[in-house]
Amino acid sequence: MNNKILVTGGAGYIGSHTCVALHQAGYDIVVYDNLSNSSYEAVNRVSALIGQPIEFIEGDIRNAGLLREVFDKHRFFGVIHFAGLKAVGESVARPLIYYDNNVSGTINLLNVMEEYSVSNLIFSSSATVYGDPETLPINETSPRSCTNPYGQSKLTVEHILGDLAVSNDKWNLITLRYFNPVGAHPSGQIGEDPNDIPNNLMPYISQVAAGKLTKLSIFGNDYSTVDGTGVRDFIHVTDLAQGHVAALSYLKKQSSPVGFLPVNLGTGKGTSVLELVSAFIETTKQSIPYKFAARREGDIASCYASADKAKKLFGWKAKLSITDMCQDTWRWQSMNPNGYKSISEYKI
Ligand code: NAD
Ligand code: UFG
């Protein structure tokens, strides 16, 4: 049985956690990442966690020549494709870079996969493709629309995958739409390591708790939600990682191709910004000074998944609680005050 998986973007936040889960599930992994938003230290830490070095290639998904070398060397069962840029604000300022990395990069990867007859892909999509949802919870048939280049790049790739599946029924193109990934590996060895000041809520909270930032601004307290603050479906990154393993197991069991298959990965439960802040304070006993600020442009009031399809098809369900998410985020933050620039005692 071929258990070899190419993990593009495997040095990143979700990719590194997924590498650990894949190894534990018996897969051989090859990581391909240009380290544009990650550090080689993450790869070292994953190697230490799994107790053996993982094969790493520093490369760009837009480099077809290098991808061919990798496909010449390895016979892959499939590709888990995390590589891409993900900052919404930056995508508005630099749209071409986003379309080039996320759309052209994916087309390039698909071309090489086709050349080498590798037809199994798991693609990192996002709940952002649902825009401002008309109904909640959001299921996979909900209408899709996007308002920023990052979201548009994900939606465009989804359309490309859909067209590819129609063009030839050999393809298995599972598109996982992640809700809001947070948390870190329970060892405290790998986690989210944002450059500069974090845009996302959980890393911002943890840096306030650590005293690196003085105060959290809560963007909007006048939404029509439980307490006026935004509601999101926060999912522990290790649950998300297991979702990829479950998707692969599902693929391995199929006797005929699945085509383009979108599946939400969320918990199905909405938590407000204030509820998350309170849970973090309660769990970690740290103080989080905050103030209410204006709504952030482009934000929506509420977003949470129907997680039924993942349960039905993959037998997967998120298990970890908001308390686990806060605890593991704080462990990672405390053990690595400067992210991967912190010195780790941890060695293979
Ligand atoms: P991340 O930035 O930590 O990881 C992405 C990795 O891809 C990084 O290691 C980066 O160096 C690499 N990369 C970027 N462009 C590349 C290129 N052209 N060639 C090779 N490598 C490249 O981000 P993440 O949070 O782990 O997200 C992984 C995927 O999931 C991304 O596609 C992202 O858009 C998607 N996603 C993330 C979230 C989230 O909130 N974290 C939510 C929904 C979807
Ligand atoms: N928020 C604050 N203060 C902050 C940061 C965030 O109040 O300093 C609020 C936001 O206004 C929002 C909630 O916290 O109500 C969540 O915000 P995040 O930035 O953490 O996450 P988003 O839901 O805006 O977006 C994230 C990713 C997107 C992805 C989306 C769905 O950044 O790329 O989840 O997966 F598309």
Side-chain angles (χ1 to χ4, degrees), residues 51 57 70 92 112 133 146 160 176 206 224 242 246 248 252 275 289 337:
I57 295 115
V70 176
V92 175
V112 176
C146 283
I160 291 168
L176 299 179
S206 70
S224 80
Q242 289 301 336
L248 273 180
K252 290 208 158 221
E275 285 169 342

Side-chain angles (χ1 to χ4, degrees), residues 88 91-92 99 128-132 145-152 155 297-300:
V88 174
S91 79
V92 175
Y99 287 116
T128 198
V129 301
Y130 295 118
D132 195 352
S145 72
C146 283
T147 54
N148 60 72
Y150 166 70
Q152 202 61 52
L155 191 48
E297 206 186 315
D299 271 359
I300 55 174

Side-chain angles (χ1 to χ4, degrees), residues 290-316:
Y290 67 82
K291 62 171 189 221
F292 292 114
R295 291 181 179 191
R296 185 170 67 178
E297 206 186 315
D299 271 359
I300 55 174
S302 295
C303 172
Y304 53 91
S306 159
D308 294 349
K309 191 171 176 185
K311 174 92 175 51
K312 187 163 165 250
L313 293 185
F314 305 160
W316 171 91

Side-chain angles (χ1 to χ4, degrees), residues 86-88 125-129 150 177-182 198-204 216-220 223 229-232 234 273 295-296 299-301 303:
K86 63 165 182 177
V88 174
S125 189
S126 166
T128 198
V129 301
Y150 166 70
R177 296 179 180 147
Y178 312 149
F179 280 66
N180 287 59
V182 296
N199 291 312
N200 296 119
L201 180 62
M202 188 62 121
Y204 205 105
L216 170 72
S217 292
I218 295 183
F219 301 136
Y223 286 110
T229 66
V231 166
R232 295 291 182 275
F234 299 100
V273 172
R295 291 181 179 191
R296 185 170 67 178
D299 271 359
I300 55 174
C303 172

Side-chain angles (χ1 to χ4, degrees), residues 13 181-186 201-203 205-207 209 234-237 271-286 288 320-334:
Y13 171 47
V182 296
H185 192 268
L201 180 62
M202 188 62 121
I205 290 176
S206 70
Q207 292 198 14
F234 299 100
I235 173 168
H236 197 296
V237 66
T271 301
S272 77
V273 172
L274 267 181
E275 285 169 342
L276 187 68
V277 171
S278 303
F280 197 95
I281 294 170
E282 196 171 312
T283 308
T284 65
K285 312 294 178 220
Q286 303 300 306
I288 312 289
L320 298 172
S321 65
I322 290 284
T323 303
D324 298 315
M325 300 178 209
C326 295
Q327 206 156 45
D328 292 337
T329 300
W330 183 235
R331 187 180 300 105
W332 156 252
Q333 174 70 50
S334 312

